[in-house]
Every structure is written in C-alpha cells, then in structure tokens.
Amino acid sequence: MDVAENLRHVEERIVRACADAGRDPGEVRLLPVSKTQPIDPILRVSELGYRRFGENRMQDLQAKTTRLRELGHPEIEFCVIGHLQTNKARIVAELVTEFQALDSVHLARELDRRCEATGRRLDVLVQVNSSGEASKSGIVPDDVLALAAELRHCPWLRVRGLMTIAVNSPQPGPVLACFDRVVEVQRRLRDAAFDGLNWDDLSMGMTNDLELAISRGATCVRVGRAIFGERATRGAQ
Ligand SMILES: *Cc1c(COP(=O)(O)O)cnc(C)c1O
C-alpha cells in the first residue's frame, strides 16, 4: 500500500466530485485523518503538502505532538474530530489548532476559558448529530441555535461552521438526508445572523461518502482509510 498513491487517488475523487457538482475544487479542503496511524505515514503525507491531521484521542495526540517536535516537525498540526471530555479541554487549548466536535454549551465555556488561559484562539466547528442515532455524538439540530447564542460569549473560539458524520448506509438516500439536515441547520444559523460567528465551513464526508458530501456543499472532507489503509479495530467507527 502506497500512501502517496492513495492520496493522489483521493485528490482525484475530490476533483471529479467537484466537477460533477459544478464546484471549484479549491473550495474543498482534504483533512487526512491520522487516528491510530504511526508517525511515518503522517510524515509521508505532510511531505505531499498537508500540515493538519485529524485525531480523536487526546493521549495519541499528545504522544504524536511530542514525537513530531523531537523529530523536528513543529509545523505539523492537529485537528480534533472526536468527542472531547470537558476535563481534556486544556490539552486541546494547548496543542490543537482546530476542533471539529463542539457539542455542548458546557464544553464551549470550558474550551473558551482554557484558550484564554493559554492565549491561543481555536478554530471551532459545531458537530451536528444529523442521523438521529444515539451512538453518534454531536448536538441535535434543534439545540444548535441555543449553543450558537452562547458562542457569542466565547471570544477565544473562532466559530467557522458545522461538522457531521452521516449514517453509514450503502444507499445514497439516507446519507444525503443527513447532509441535507446539516445544510438546513446552516441556513437557520445564517438567518439568525449571530454577530461574529461564521457558518461557512461544512465538514462532511469521509472515505465512503465524500462524493455525496461534496454534492451537498461540503468544504472539508475527513479521510482516513482511503489514504492510510484500514485501521485496526481500535478507533474505527
Ligand atoms: C475516523 C473518522 C473519519 C475518517 O473515516 P474514514 O472512513 O477512515 O475515512 C472522519 N471523521 C471522523 C469524525 C472520524 O472519527
């Protein structure tokens, strides 16, 4: 398995999906998801032009950050894409540039407080539970406006948009319905016109459904297996 070849293939999928959707590929950012992967493939992908990688476990993220600094790669950044316990907010405030899994007012307040203490602002996406499955994290669509209202009082969080994980289905219909729900939430948030909050970013789509997500307006796709190969079960969906 060649990571460079896999990456090229994913980039081609994105370009093709954009062409099919009449969109500019420059609007869609690829976030390689390096969770459960060792350092070497991360370095390979970083050499091919990617600096920010998705992780979901704080312990792994801390270990990888330390190792990358030892190896002389402080330029590599991490984006957290998994549910965060409030008591780990400090780690995110200190080590992470982007957080895509904001799902509660309580966590927002704690992250804002920790970011103020470290003096670093954090890019934030609100994770929406678009499938209604209890097993998926994220805030339910009806609660997003209340969270957004609170985010106006979190100046250290730079709010940029929404993230979702669609239902895992072989049929396109249910997957598209999840993405449509998020686009609808985005529309409601824009209508509410909260000062200082930006909802342009839509992080939707992974290895199995990135084309569908791009057809519905995704601006970020989070891809793990199609780049790095299958994961061991730990950290899998
Ligand atoms: C693991 C993970 C991904 C990547 O999934 P693949 O199917 O490996 O592309 C994307 N988003 C989130 C939130 C994840 O946990």
Side-chain angles (χ1 to χ4, degrees):
M1 190 221 29
D2 176 16
V3 167
E5 201 174 303
N6 291 348
L7 184 67
R8 201 159 347 112
H9 182 62
V10 170
E11 289 171 342
E12 282 166 11
R13 283 176 62 186
I14 293 171
V15 168
R16 212 175 314 125
C18 285
D20 289 347
R23 300 184 56 198
D24 172 0
E27 292 172 11
V28 181
R29 139 173 92 115
L30 171 59
L31 178 72
V33 173
S34 57
K35 69 187 185 192
T36 76
Q37 301 298 333
I39 293 290
D40 277 354
I42 298 176
L43 289 176
R44 285 285 287 129
V45 171
S46 82
E47 284 161 10
L48 298 164
Y50 294 83
R51 293 209 154 178
R52 193 176 289 186
F53 293 82
E55 289 281 338
N56 62 352
R57 281 165 208 263
M58 291 307 103
Q59 214 176 327
D60 294 348
L61 189 143
Q62 285 175 296
K64 287 178 189 180
T65 301
T66 303
R67 188 73 192 119
L68 286 166
R69 285 177 187 169
E70 283 167 4
L71 291 170
H73 290 283
E75 78 284 2
I76 295 179
E77 305 175 350
F78 289 107
C79 167
V80 170
I81 57 170
H83 177 71
L84 184 72
Q85 290 169 285
T86 312
N87 64 3
K88 304 220 167 110
R90 183 181 56 79
I91 302 170
V92 170
E94 285 176 359
L95 298 183
V96 168
T97 44
E98 181 182 10
F99 180 63
Q100 294 200 352
L102 185 62
D103 58 4
S104 76
V105 169
H106 183 56
L107 180 58
R109 289 194 185 127
E110 186 62 14
L111 278 171
D112 187 61
R113 194 171 77 79
R114 294 294 185 177
C115 285
E116 182 174 16
T118 52
R120 301 175 77 225
R121 296 191 80 203
L122 180 66
D123 284 342
V124 162
L125 305 193
V126 171
Q127 183 177 355
V128 178
N129 182 335
S130 58
S131 68
E133 296 168 291
S135 62
K136 296 247 163 71
S137 45
I139 187 164
V140 298
D142 283 347
D143 291 347
V144 177
L145 279 176
L147 173 58
E150 177 65 25
L151 286 170
R152 289 176 302 169
H153 309 299
C154 297
W156 291 86
L157 305 184
R158 212 183 278 122
V159 178
R160 296 205 176 279
L162 302 170
M163 179 273 240
T164 204
I165 304 172
V167 67
N168 189 0
S169 166
Q171 309 292 335
V175 177
L176 289 169
C178 289
F179 297 142
D180 287 341
R181 273 179 214 117
V182 175
V183 171
E184 169 62 19
V185 169
Q186 182 191 47
R187 194 189 59 71
R188 267 153 52 194
L189 288 162
R190 284 179 167 159
D191 286 351
F194 291 113
D195 254 5
L197 307 184
N198 179 317
W199 303 105
D200 290 348
D201 233 0
L202 289 181
S203 176
M204 328 193 281
M206 323 196 291
T207 290
N208 285 346
D209 58 12
L210 70 90
E211 284 86 358
L212 297 175
I214 288 171
S215 79
R216 287 307 197 262
T219 62
C220 174
V221 292
R222 312 174 306 270
V223 179
R225 290 170 300 142
I227 297 172
F228 295 105
E230 291 296 327
R231 285 180 292 274
T233 45
R234 201 186 73 99
Q237 286 293 307

